Amino acid sequence: MTGNEIRSTFLKFFADRGHRIVRSSSLVPVNDPTLLFTNAGMNQFKDVFLGLEQREYTRATSSQKCVRAGGKHNDLENVGFTNRHHTFFEMLGNFSFGDYFKKDAVAYAWELVTSSAAGRFGIPVDKLYFTVFGGAEIAPGKVLGVDEEALNLWLSIGAPKDRVIPVPGLKENFWAMGDTGPCGPCSEIHYDMGPAASDQGHTDCKFGCECGRYVEIWNLVFMQFNRVCDLCDVKGNCLETHLEPLPKPSVDTGAGLERLAAVLQGKISNFDTDLFQPIIRNAGELTGTEYGKDAKSDASLRIIADHARATCFLITDGVLPSNEGRGYVLRKIMRRAISHGHQLGMKVPFLHLLVFVVKNQMEFAYPELAAASIQVGKVVLAEETKFAHTVRIGWEQFQEDLSELGRASLKEDLNESTKAVGPAYQEAYRRGASMVGHPIVQYPGTKAFRLYDTFGLPPDFIRDAVRDAGLEFDESGFNSAMQEQRIRARASWKGGHKDVANPVYAKLAATYRTEPDFYFAATAKDCRIEAIVTKEGAVNELPPGTEGEIVLDRTVFYSESGGQVSDIGTLWNNEHTMQLADVRGAYYPVSGLIAHRIVAKEKLAVGDRVAGDADGARREHIKRNHTATHLMHAALRNILGTHVKQAGSLVEPGRLRFDFSHFAAIDAAELRDIEQQVNDEILLNSEIQTDVTTIDDALASGALAFFGDRYPEQNVRVVTIPDPSAPRGFYSKELCGGTHVRRTGDIGVFKIAVEQSTAAGVRRIEAITGVPALADYQQARQLLHEITARLGVNEENLTAALERAEQTQRQLEKQLETLKRKGALSKLDDLAANARIIKGVKVISAEIEGVDRDTMRQLVDSLRQKLGSGVVVLGAAEDGKVALLAGVTKDLTSRLHAGKIVQATAKEVGGSGGGRPDLAEAGGKDTSRLKTALDLVYPLVEQML
């Protein structure tokens, strides 16, 4: 059974049993600060389990894309060296949201795994073991016993008694979403891979041995309890808890596709299945390496194959290589694959070629790969090219580090003749020195980690090079730096678990949904107050002057979502004779329910009937900007390419902001084309069409989904901007729950205000429409009029007049620089005459006024020539900054290092720098300490000599 067949079989099995097949969510979690990447099948259902969201189905099944690399869940360093660790993997799962529980979950798993009927896996029972929760102390003095229900269900369905095993403790067979919230026992299905799978060579070990023979293939989580906090510390951390039965127990299961493939295809390693072998074969052909011939090269091929999959899926889902967050993890994954390619002899970019192998392998289940593969290949090639440059820089830094360490140790322990004998003698000397008690020189672990983390040099490569240089590798220092980095990464993404929905909102959402009237009007009467919520919880009344939240049975106030800000306005009595409250905003506390943030002007009570007035003028501005966002999105894809994907947006009354994936700055001509194309569509005055359909039908019709939005399977809104001249009959079609103008002409005019970068590979455009855009054009016209008037030219001759003015300014600046340089060079004799003699070496350290760095470099070179042999350090202060240059004549570079001199000097002025032994530069911030810094040069040189 192929990997694709296993996936399809699993999904069909549960679909036939009333489960909705739900498409995989993005690897970038939606609205979940607790996760770096999607790492489990239940992630996209998290709000459903927490009571924050309701869906129109209670049974679901999915094949979820997952990544575990970085943050709390990090398998990166193990990948390639074990049979089952991966960065990217697929998690098959079935889910019950208060529908069926243990009995059906166990029955489904048993049938699918063990039955030999068509559409089942047919795994022999004598190869399986079934574990259940074996009991544990869940709180001091509170013990939860063995999950007898699950144990008896396995036995009653046919599992042998000696193969159903209770496992005690909370680590193995008990699952919790967080310190509080849903939790419950687990039951796992394990497969006996046989003695050949033992990493330790065991031939007769029993179940429970962790040698690699017994592999978990499916985990059934029974969400049975709600963990409630009884006592917190002053920071809100829970100290004591108790378990309460959930009113609607749920099920969350996960079966790794790669592990199932290994079992069903008779392979010990996941990498030997058809999910990986085509990629491994292609990587082997590219590198000229045959898989299965050498353990070290096999590991490299496995790493390349695994990381190629992760790379393709992450970039397809909008992650781009960068130096922070998700992009940083992606960059590490890519560079690890590239490094292992280099170890196999690859001297040219190759990883981008595997993008298309992954696409061909996976597009059956993930068609988005096909549409994105060309752009993904470009991204990978660009990163490979950049990495090659970075590695060269890292190697140069490495050589400089080794040179300095070697020089320091040899100066202390070896004579001049020893210095020239090379690494072999140095290594022998190092060993001898350790035997007679001399200190062994280490290459610092912090420096090694910087080479690994910043420049991407593999640790084994660094270790070998350090050893070859006759030094000792600081293993503990490297490991400490690695651990610190992991802690920083984990802290930056730890977030906080989502709380269970306020019981008031959860209870209301269980019975009805807020009727949204904001698509049709800005005013409504006879809206009933269903609930009032304050900081203290649910209340029946809200006194005048009090802040709170209210829920109405229907509302005209748009609730903030999809990047569009919420409406504001007023609540009145039905006769519109009395203002009852100011509405400051609206949001969704749970799916389908809208809470209004208000300040009461009169007493409000549950059951009151009120009239709502949203600020109509403000809403019209928002509608113009929202429809313009759709137009601009389409224009960006038309002009820059279909690789453009939304990466965030903000739609508010005064402007629109749109973030999107694109590699380069947009030039002026492209911006003009984008702006013109949007305004052309506005002039067509097309009527906006809004339809409600299923998400599958919407996407099949060509509709685009926005980044970061979560859409229901049914009743999604599709906003279409028609254009009869377009190939598909529309200019734009997107899934969108926001408010829009009736016709494109209602926008008036569209004007781009700002285009800039927000992150690596992410651009941002801010734009304005309607009256603000008109005002911007008028202001620009006024400014243009003032400039032409001051220059005494008309608009046609303005460019030529500015060019003449710029040319005149450049000539004057050049003349001024020439005069400054001549003035500075005239001081050469005076500077040379003031040189001090330090241990026989001439040293000049002086402040120069009114010169730039180029002139300072010329002065340093001239002074070195004039001295013949010596040291020159010059400093200058200008515009609140310090510039420092140091030069050492060639005959002294074996004793004095210009980079170290200028680096030490720069510290005195709050700066840093460095460079070559003969010439180096630095900068600083504290101009008041420049004289002090320059005076320290003389004792510094004396100390170095």
Side-chain angles (χ1 to χ4, degrees), residues 772-800:
L774 178 62
D776 188 80
Y777 279 116
Q778 291 171 336
Q779 184 180 4
R781 289 293 307 170
Q782 179 62 28
L783 181 61
L784 181 62
H785 175 74
E786 292 176 4
I787 293 172
T788 54
R790 293 185 66 175
L791 291 176
V793 297
N794 55 31
E795 291 183 17
E796 289 76 13
N797 296 321
L798 178 59
T799 302

PDB file of all heavy atoms in Angstrom, residues 772-800:
ATOM      1  N   PRO A 772      -9.640  61.205   1.403  1.00  0.00           N
ATOM      2  CA  PRO A 772      -8.217  61.323   1.764  1.00  0.00           C
ATOM      3  C   PRO A 772      -7.288  61.237   0.550  1.00  0.00           C
ATOM      4  O   PRO A 772      -6.276  61.946   0.493  1.00  0.00           O
ATOM      5  CB  PRO A 772      -7.998  60.135   2.709  1.00  0.00           C
ATOM      6  CG  PRO A 772      -9.342  59.866   3.287  1.00  0.00           C
ATOM      7  CD  PRO A 772     -10.298  60.127   2.175  1.00  0.00           C
ATOM      8  N   ALA A 773      -7.612  60.392  -0.417  1.00  0.00           N
ATOM      9  CA  ALA A 773      -6.773  60.283  -1.614  1.00  0.00           C
ATOM     10  C   ALA A 773      -6.845  61.560  -2.435  1.00  0.00           C
ATOM     11  O   ALA A 773      -5.824  62.049  -2.944  1.00  0.00           O
ATOM     12  CB  ALA A 773      -7.213  59.082  -2.454  1.00  0.00           C
ATOM     13  N   LEU A 774      -8.044  62.124  -2.568  1.00  0.00           N
ATOM     14  CA  LEU A 774      -8.196  63.388  -3.291  1.00  0.00           C
ATOM     15  C   LEU A 774      -7.412  64.492  -2.606  1.00  0.00           C
ATOM     16  O   LEU A 774      -6.715  65.280  -3.263  1.00  0.00           O
ATOM     17  CB  LEU A 774      -9.671  63.765  -3.389  1.00  0.00           C
ATOM     18  CG  LEU A 774      -9.986  65.106  -4.080  1.00  0.00           C
ATOM     19  CD1 LEU A 774      -9.507  65.085  -5.524  1.00  0.00           C
ATOM     20  CD2 LEU A 774     -11.487  65.390  -4.023  1.00  0.00           C
ATOM     21  N   ALA A 775      -7.477  64.539  -1.264  1.00  0.00           N
ATOM     22  CA  ALA A 775      -6.736  65.563  -0.517  1.00  0.00           C
ATOM     23  C   ALA A 775      -5.234  65.402  -0.722  1.00  0.00           C
ATOM     24  O   ALA A 775      -4.498  66.391  -0.809  1.00  0.00           O
ATOM     25  CB  ALA A 775      -7.089  65.475   0.968  1.00  0.00           C
ATOM     26  N   ASP A 776      -4.772  64.159  -0.808  1.00  0.00           N
ATOM     27  CA  ASP A 776      -3.350  63.907  -1.014  1.00  0.00           C
ATOM     28  C   ASP A 776      -2.911  64.414  -2.390  1.00  0.00           C
ATOM     29  O   ASP A 776      -1.841  65.037  -2.521  1.00  0.00           O
ATOM     30  CB  ASP A 776      -3.078  62.410  -0.890  1.00  0.00           C
ATOM     31  CG  ASP A 776      -1.594  62.091  -0.892  1.00  0.00           C
ATOM     32  OD1 ASP A 776      -0.966  62.243   0.157  1.00  0.00           O
ATOM     33  OD2 ASP A 776      -1.068  61.697  -1.959  1.00  0.00           O
ATOM     34  N   TYR A 777      -3.713  64.158  -3.408  1.00  0.00           N
ATOM     35  CA  TYR A 777      -3.407  64.673  -4.751  1.00  0.00           C
ATOM     36  C   TYR A 777      -3.387  66.199  -4.743  1.00  0.00           C
ATOM     37  O   TYR A 777      -2.496  66.830  -5.331  1.00  0.00           O
ATOM     38  CB  TYR A 777      -4.449  64.174  -5.759  1.00  0.00           C
ATOM     39  CG  TYR A 777      -4.207  62.777  -6.243  1.00  0.00           C
ATOM     40  CD1 TYR A 777      -5.116  61.750  -5.979  1.00  0.00           C
ATOM     41  CD2 TYR A 777      -3.065  62.455  -6.994  1.00  0.00           C
ATOM     42  CE1 TYR A 777      -4.902  60.467  -6.439  1.00  0.00           C
ATOM     43  CE2 TYR A 777      -2.850  61.170  -7.451  1.00  0.00           C
ATOM     44  CZ  TYR A 777      -3.760  60.179  -7.172  1.00  0.00           C
ATOM     45  OH  TYR A 777      -3.537  58.897  -7.626  1.00  0.00           O
ATOM     46  N   GLN A 778      -4.344  66.825  -4.071  1.00  0.00           N
ATOM     47  CA  GLN A 778      -4.402  68.281  -4.036  1.00  0.00           C
ATOM     48  C   GLN A 778      -3.186  68.864  -3.316  1.00  0.00           C
ATOM     49  O   GLN A 778      -2.635  69.886  -3.741  1.00  0.00           O
ATOM     50  CB  GLN A 778      -5.702  68.725  -3.348  1.00  0.00           C
ATOM     51  CG  GLN A 778      -6.953  68.425  -4.172  1.00  0.00           C
ATOM     52  CD  GLN A 778      -8.236  68.672  -3.396  1.00  0.00           C
ATOM     53  OE1 GLN A 778      -8.241  68.630  -2.164  1.00  0.00           O
ATOM     54  NE2 GLN A 778      -9.330  68.927  -4.116  1.00  0.00           N
ATOM     55  N   GLN A 779      -2.775  68.213  -2.234  1.00  0.00           N
ATOM     56  CA  GLN A 779      -1.602  68.681  -1.505  1.00  0.00           C
ATOM     57  C   GLN A 779      -0.351  68.565  -2.370  1.00  0.00           C
ATOM     58  O   GLN A 779       0.518  69.454  -2.359  1.00  0.00           O
ATOM     59  CB  GLN A 779      -1.430  67.865  -0.226  1.00  0.00           C
ATOM     60  CG  GLN A 779      -0.277  68.339   0.665  1.00  0.00           C
ATOM     61  CD  GLN A 779      -0.162  67.501   1.922  1.00  0.00           C
ATOM     62  OE1 GLN A 779      -0.885  66.530   2.105  1.00  0.00           O
ATOM     63  NE2 GLN A 779       0.740  67.884   2.804  1.00  0.00           N
ATOM     64  N   ALA A 780      -0.248  67.457  -3.118  1.00  0.00           N
ATOM     65  CA  ALA A 780       0.902  67.282  -4.006  1.00  0.00           C
ATOM     66  C   ALA A 780       0.926  68.356  -5.087  1.00  0.00           C
ATOM     67  O   ALA A 780       1.993  68.887  -5.437  1.00  0.00           O
ATOM     68  CB  ALA A 780       0.853  65.892  -4.646  1.00  0.00           C
ATOM     69  N   ARG A 781      -0.242  68.706  -5.624  1.00  0.00           N
ATOM     70  CA  ARG A 781      -0.313  69.764  -6.637  1.00  0.00           C
ATOM     71  C   ARG A 781       0.128  71.105  -6.058  1.00  0.00           C
ATOM     72  O   ARG A 781       0.859  71.860  -6.695  1.00  0.00           O
ATOM     73  CB  ARG A 781      -1.745  69.882  -7.172  1.00  0.00           C
ATOM     74  CG  ARG A 781      -2.197  68.724  -8.049  1.00  0.00           C
ATOM     75  CD  ARG A 781      -1.447  68.656  -9.353  1.00  0.00           C
ATOM     76  NE  ARG A 781      -1.477  69.915 -10.082  1.00  0.00           N
ATOM     77  CZ  ARG A 781      -0.744  70.171 -11.163  1.00  0.00           C
ATOM     78  NH1 ARG A 781       0.098  69.248 -11.615  1.00  0.00           N
ATOM     79  NH2 ARG A 781      -0.831  71.330 -11.784  1.00  0.00           N
ATOM     80  N   GLN A 782      -0.289  71.373  -4.822  1.00  0.00           N
ATOM     81  CA  GLN A 782       0.085  72.632  -4.198  1.00  0.00           C
ATOM     82  C   GLN A 782       1.590  72.707  -3.967  1.00  0.00           C
ATOM     83  O   GLN A 782       2.227  73.736  -4.208  1.00  0.00           O
ATOM     84  CB  GLN A 782      -0.657  72.776  -2.854  1.00  0.00           C
ATOM     85  CG  GLN A 782      -0.332  74.047  -2.077  1.00  0.00           C
ATOM     86  CD  GLN A 782      -0.721  75.314  -2.828  1.00  0.00           C
ATOM     87  OE1 GLN A 782      -1.659  75.299  -3.634  1.00  0.00           O
ATOM     88  NE2 GLN A 782       0.012  76.403  -2.588  1.00  0.00           N
ATOM     89  N   LEU A 783       2.158  71.602  -3.518  1.00  0.00           N
ATOM     90  CA  LEU A 783       3.598  71.559  -3.283  1.00  0.00           C
ATOM     91  C   LEU A 783       4.362  71.749  -4.596  1.00  0.00           C
ATOM     92  O   LEU A 783       5.376  72.472  -4.652  1.00  0.00           O
ATOM     93  CB  LEU A 783       3.976  70.226  -2.639  1.00  0.00           C
ATOM     94  CG  LEU A 783       5.458  70.016  -2.307  1.00  0.00           C
ATOM     95  CD1 LEU A 783       5.944  71.063  -1.318  1.00  0.00           C
ATOM     96  CD2 LEU A 783       5.680  68.605  -1.751  1.00  0.00           C
ATOM     97  N   LEU A 784       3.895  71.099  -5.646  1.00  0.00           N
ATOM     98  CA  LEU A 784       4.532  71.254  -6.958  1.00  0.00           C
ATOM     99  C   LEU A 784       4.484  72.710  -7.418  1.00  0.00           C
ATOM    100  O   LEU A 784       5.477  73.235  -7.956  1.00  0.00           O
ATOM    101  CB  LEU A 784       3.823  70.350  -7.974  1.00  0.00           C
ATOM    102  CG  LEU A 784       4.366  70.358  -9.400  1.00  0.00           C
ATOM    103  CD1 LEU A 784       5.802  69.855  -9.438  1.00  0.00           C
ATOM    104  CD2 LEU A 784       3.482  69.508 -10.314  1.00  0.00           C
ATOM    105  N   HIS A 785       3.362  73.373  -7.199  1.00  0.00           N
ATOM    106  CA  HIS A 785       3.224  74.781  -7.582  1.00  0.00           C
ATOM    107  C   HIS A 785       4.233  75.652  -6.829  1.00  0.00           C
ATOM    108  O   HIS A 785       4.868  76.551  -7.417  1.00  0.00           O
ATOM    109  CB  HIS A 785       1.796  75.254  -7.309  1.00  0.00           C
ATOM    110  CG  HIS A 785       1.590  76.718  -7.556  1.00  0.00           C
ATOM    111  ND1 HIS A 785       1.526  77.260  -8.828  1.00  0.00           N
ATOM    112  CD2 HIS A 785       1.446  77.758  -6.685  1.00  0.00           C
ATOM    113  CE1 HIS A 785       1.355  78.568  -8.739  1.00  0.00           C
ATOM    114  NE2 HIS A 785       1.296  78.884  -7.434  1.00  0.00           N
ATOM    115  N   GLU A 786       4.406  75.395  -5.523  1.00  0.00           N
ATOM    116  CA  GLU A 786       5.342  76.186  -4.726  1.00  0.00           C
ATOM    117  C   GLU A 786       6.782  75.991  -5.192  1.00  0.00           C
ATOM    118  O   GLU A 786       7.569  76.941  -5.253  1.00  0.00           O
ATOM    119  CB  GLU A 786       5.202  75.808  -3.256  1.00  0.00           C
ATOM    120  CG  GLU A 786       3.878  76.218  -2.629  1.00  0.00           C
ATOM    121  CD  GLU A 786       3.738  75.735  -1.195  1.00  0.00           C
ATOM    122  OE1 GLU A 786       4.727  75.150  -0.677  1.00  0.00           O
ATOM    123  OE2 GLU A 786       2.674  75.947  -0.592  1.00  0.00           O
ATOM    124  N   ILE A 787       7.135  74.745  -5.529  1.00  0.00           N
ATOM    125  CA  ILE A 787       8.516  74.478  -5.967  1.00  0.00           C
ATOM    126  C   ILE A 787       8.813  75.168  -7.295  1.00  0.00           C
ATOM    127  O   ILE A 787       9.871  75.796  -7.459  1.00  0.00           O
ATOM    128  CB  ILE A 787       8.735  72.949  -6.084  1.00  0.00           C
ATOM    129  CG1 ILE A 787       8.674  72.303  -4.701  1.00  0.00           C
ATOM    130  CG2 ILE A 787      10.081  72.648  -6.751  1.00  0.00           C
ATOM    131  CD1 ILE A 787       8.693  70.783  -4.741  1.00  0.00           C
ATOM    132  N   THR A 788       7.898  75.054  -8.236  1.00  0.00           N
ATOM    133  CA  THR A 788       8.137  75.695  -9.544  1.00  0.00           C
ATOM    134  C   THR A 788       8.212  77.212  -9.401  1.00  0.00           C
ATOM    135  O   THR A 788       8.996  77.869 -10.089  1.00  0.00           O
ATOM    136  CB  THR A 788       7.027  75.314 -10.535  1.00  0.00           C
ATOM    137  OG1 THR A 788       5.745  75.619  -9.965  1.00  0.00           O
ATOM    138  CG2 THR A 788       7.076  73.835 -10.869  1.00  0.00           C
ATOM    139  N   ALA A 789       7.400  77.766  -8.507  1.00  0.00           N
ATOM    140  CA  ALA A 789       7.419  79.214  -8.294  1.00  0.00           C
ATOM    141  C   ALA A 789       8.757  79.660  -7.723  1.00  0.00           C
ATOM    142  O   ALA A 789       9.329  80.673  -8.143  1.00  0.00           O
ATOM    143  CB  ALA A 789       6.268  79.620  -7.369  1.00  0.00           C
ATOM    144  N   ARG A 790       9.299  78.919  -6.770  1.00  0.00           N
ATOM    145  CA  ARG A 790      10.571  79.298  -6.137  1.00  0.00           C
ATOM    146  C   ARG A 790      11.735  79.148  -7.108  1.00  0.00           C
ATOM    147  O   ARG A 790      12.710  79.901  -7.048  1.00  0.00           O
ATOM    148  CB  ARG A 790      10.804  78.452  -4.895  1.00  0.00           C
ATOM    149  CG  ARG A 790       9.797  78.736  -3.782  1.00  0.00           C
ATOM    150  CD  ARG A 790      10.117  77.987  -2.524  1.00  0.00           C
ATOM    151  NE  ARG A 790      11.376  78.429  -1.923  1.00  0.00           N
ATOM    152  CZ  ARG A 790      11.836  77.997  -0.752  1.00  0.00           C
ATOM    153  NH1 ARG A 790      11.123  77.094  -0.073  1.00  0.00           N
ATOM    154  NH2 ARG A 790      12.970  78.435  -0.262  1.00  0.00           N
ATOM    155  N   LEU A 791      11.646  78.154  -8.014  1.00  0.00           N
ATOM    156  CA  LEU A 791      12.721  77.970  -8.988  1.00  0.00           C
ATOM    157  C   LEU A 791      12.530  78.836 -10.230  1.00  0.00           C
ATOM    158  O   LEU A 791      13.437  78.911 -11.082  1.00  0.00           O
ATOM    159  CB  LEU A 791      12.802  76.499  -9.402  1.00  0.00           C
ATOM    160  CG  LEU A 791      13.292  75.522  -8.315  1.00  0.00           C
ATOM    161  CD1 LEU A 791      13.219  74.094  -8.825  1.00  0.00           C
ATOM    162  CD2 LEU A 791      14.719  75.856  -7.893  1.00  0.00           C
ATOM    163  N   GLY A 792      11.362  79.445 -10.355  1.00  0.00           N
ATOM    164  CA  GLY A 792      11.098  80.323 -11.487  1.00  0.00           C
ATOM    165  C   GLY A 792      10.982  79.590 -12.810  1.00  0.00           C
ATOM    166  O   GLY A 792      11.395  80.126 -13.847  1.00  0.00           O
ATOM    167  N   VAL A 793      10.437  78.373 -12.788  1.00  0.00           N
ATOM    168  CA  VAL A 793      10.263  77.596 -14.020  1.00  0.00           C
ATOM    169  C   VAL A 793       8.836  77.060 -14.062  1.00  0.00           C
ATOM    170  O   VAL A 793       8.128  77.068 -13.052  1.00  0.00           O
ATOM    171  CB  VAL A 793      11.268  76.422 -14.102  1.00  0.00           C
ATOM    172  CG1 VAL A 793      12.692  76.923 -14.154  1.00  0.00           C
ATOM    173  CG2 VAL A 793      11.075  75.468 -12.907  1.00  0.00           C
ATOM    174  N   ASN A 794       8.406  76.579 -15.245  1.00  0.00           N
ATOM    175  CA  ASN A 794       7.112  75.919 -15.325  1.00  0.00           C
ATOM    176  C   ASN A 794       7.301  74.419 -15.075  1.00  0.00           C
ATOM    177  O   ASN A 794       8.421  73.928 -14.950  1.00  0.00           O
ATOM    178  CB  ASN A 794       6.441  76.178 -16.672  1.00  0.00           C
ATOM    179  CG  ASN A 794       7.339  75.773 -17.838  1.00  0.00           C
ATOM    180  OD1 ASN A 794       8.139  74.844 -17.724  1.00  0.00           O
ATOM    181  ND2 ASN A 794       7.236  76.483 -18.966  1.00  0.00           N
ATOM    182  N   GLU A 795       6.205  73.670 -14.996  1.00  0.00           N
ATOM    183  CA  GLU A 795       6.272  72.258 -14.652  1.00  0.00           C
ATOM    184  C   GLU A 795       7.068  71.451 -15.667  1.00  0.00           C
ATOM    185  O   GLU A 795       7.781  70.506 -15.310  1.00  0.00           O
ATOM    186  CB  GLU A 795       4.857  71.677 -14.530  1.00  0.00           C
ATOM    187  CG  GLU A 795       4.086  72.198 -13.328  1.00  0.00           C
ATOM    188  CD  GLU A 795       2.730  71.541 -13.194  1.00  0.00           C
ATOM    189  OE1 GLU A 795       2.522  70.476 -13.821  1.00  0.00           O
ATOM    190  OE2 GLU A 795       1.861  72.075 -12.484  1.00  0.00           O
ATOM    191  N   GLU A 796       6.977  71.817 -16.950  1.00  0.00           N
ATOM    192  CA  GLU A 796       7.686  71.079 -17.991  1.00  0.00           C
ATOM    193  C   GLU A 796       9.199  71.153 -17.812  1.00  0.00           C
ATOM    194  O   GLU A 796       9.937  70.227 -18.181  1.00  0.00           O
ATOM    195  CB  GLU A 796       7.303  71.598 -19.381  1.00  0.00           C
ATOM    196  CG  GLU A 796       5.889  71.246 -19.819  1.00  0.00           C
ATOM    197  CD  GLU A 796       4.845  72.114 -19.139  1.00  0.00           C
ATOM    198  OE1 GLU A 796       5.231  73.135 -18.521  1.00  0.00           O
ATOM    199  OE2 GLU A 796       3.643  71.770 -19.196  1.00  0.00           O
ATOM    200  N   ASN A 797       9.692  72.265 -17.262  1.00  0.00           N
ATOM    201  CA  ASN A 797      11.149  72.460 -17.125  1.00  0.00           C
ATOM    202  C   ASN A 797      11.645  72.188 -15.712  1.00  0.00           C
ATOM    203  O   ASN A 797      12.810  72.446 -15.405  1.00  0.00           O
ATOM    204  CB  ASN A 797      11.514  73.896 -17.515  1.00  0.00           C
ATOM    205  CG  ASN A 797      11.203  74.171 -18.976  1.00  0.00           C
ATOM    206  OD1 ASN A 797      11.416  73.315 -19.839  1.00  0.00           O
ATOM    207  ND2 ASN A 797      10.686  75.364 -19.274  1.00  0.00           N
ATOM    208  N   LEU A 798      10.778  71.666 -14.846  1.00  0.00           N
ATOM    209  CA  LEU A 798      11.163  71.476 -13.442  1.00  0.00           C
ATOM    210  C   LEU A 798      12.283  70.455 -13.294  1.00  0.00           C
ATOM    211  O   LEU A 798      13.243  70.684 -12.557  1.00  0.00           O
ATOM    212  CB  LEU A 798       9.937  71.030 -12.627  1.00  0.00           C
ATOM    213  CG  LEU A 798      10.199  70.742 -11.146  1.00  0.00           C
ATOM    214  CD1 LEU A 798      10.752  71.972 -10.442  1.00  0.00           C
ATOM    215  CD2 LEU A 798       8.922  70.264 -10.457  1.00  0.00           C
ATOM    216  N   THR A 799      12.184  69.340 -13.994  1.00  0.00           N
ATOM    217  CA  THR A 799      13.210  68.302 -13.855  1.00  0.00           C
ATOM    218  C   THR A 799      14.576  68.818 -14.260  1.00  0.00           C
ATOM    219  O   THR A 799      15.586  68.586 -13.574  1.00  0.00           O
ATOM    220  CB  THR A 799      12.833  67.078 -14.708  1.00  0.00           C
ATOM    221  OG1 THR A 799      11.555  66.585 -14.300  1.00  0.00           O
ATOM    222  CG2 THR A 799      13.867  65.978 -14.561  1.00  0.00           C
ATOM    223  N   ALA A 800      14.628  69.534 -15.383  1.00  0.00           N
ATOM    224  CA  ALA A 800      15.912  70.074 -15.842  1.00  0.00           C
ATOM    225  C   ALA A 800      16.469  71.077 -14.835  1.00  0.00           C
ATOM    226  O   ALA A 800      17.686  71.106 -14.574  1.00  0.00           O
ATOM    227  CB  ALA A 800      15.728  70.740 -17.209  1.00  0.00           C
TER     228      ALA A 800
END
